Amino acid sequence: MRSRRDLLKSAVLGGGAGVVAATALGSLGPEAAFATTAPAIEPGTPDPNFAEGRIRSIKENTLLVLGSNMVFHTIRVVDGTSLWKLGPVGFDQAKPGDGLYARGVRMPDGMLAAEAVWLNIVNIKGHIKNITSQTIHLDHNGHEVLCHVVAGKSVAIHSESPATSDLSMLKVSQHVQILGAWRPDTNEVDIATVFSPH
Amino acid sequence: MSRSTSPDPPADLLGPVQGEVSWFCCGTAWGPCSSTGKGACGTCNSGSMQHAWPNTSDACWAITRPDSCGVGLSRRTCGFRHRTTALCSGVSVVTAIADCGPQTDLFCGERSCCGATCADNRLIDLTPAAYSQIASLSTGLRPCEISAA
């Protein structure tokens, strides 16, 4: 079975829109990075093949990201890169101001060739303070987060039961985990999944 | 008074234990995570290969209380290494303890499955850097196996 890394490598070598030509980067190109096996990361230390931060600008297929620790990251999106923003999306959905986590392969020049980019993804736990048909008010570590139900996107998973778009089983004061997409510079989140223990 | 870890032998003492794994952010961060600190060990960062464990101290255990879900877990302190294996993919990652959590008691009896493979109760939280090595962040919660590394 081919690994995702193999598929990405093929995508890079295959060229196409959004892929920088190998000849432009020589041995520093993403194809070279994907061809190598990532070394094991020392537990407890930063993973060089991972990045977090907010998008400052977008130039062609490259995201310029300022990490929350004030370290800049240059993240290249290639044909095989998966992007998530409340669900699978295209590269055109990445916007300046979006927060992100990205995993890929760090190239010798410091650029991250991305296998996956999760835009604005949050995974927060808290208890429900109020609930309507369209919103959940979540108390997350003493801060209120307004979570929006998005038609066709939001689902609830009650323990091992299949995901359901019916969120009516959720109750005030119940503790839940909400996976969703943050609305930048607000305390609001669009709901992808509500995990409920019962 | 010092609280003992559990009246029963810790489930992870003699071998791997199965449970649920999720992910959490810590350290400098954006969005709702921006109010999160560096965790109980003072070293936690979303981009590092770290995890939260429910029994890092008496004070930690008093919050997480996995024993209320019938699970005893060994006392492991900051820097201890666990291997977490995703039961869906078989992929594993080794991380070091950087925080206290998850709050197991609030999700008692919860079950995650991959097809017919299931695991009960939240026993470990990984940083985004670590979780994304074994599953997509968009999965949010997965069944796993945990062992000392």
Side-chain angles (χ1 to χ4, degrees), chain A residues 50-54 83-88 97-102 116-124 177-184 188-193 195, chain B residues 23-25 29-34 46 128-129 131-132 135-141:
Chain A
F50 183 86
E52 73 81 38
R54 295 185 69 178
L83 291 104
W84 184 99
K85 194 176 193 180
L86 202 63
D98 283 347
L100 64 71
Y101 297 113
V117 178
W118 298 272
L119 297 163
N120 294 332
I121 193 168
V122 295
N123 193 31
I124 54 178
Q177 171 186 325
I178 293 183
L179 180 88
W182 175 55
R183 295 182 178 182
E188 300 178 38
V189 166
D190 291 324
I191 299 170
T193 307
F195 295 93
Chain B
W23 61 270
F24 73 114
C25 53
W30 45 265
C33 287
S34 60
S46 292
Y131 189 94
S132 62
S136 171
L137 295 180
S138 60
T139 59
L141 186 69

Side-chain angles (χ1 to χ4, degrees), chain A residues 42 55-56 60 64 116 124 132 170 189 194:
Chain A
E42 178 73 8
I55 299 174
R56 296 298 294 266
E60 297 179 337
L64 300 175
I124 54 178
T132 70
L170 300 170
V189 166
V194 182

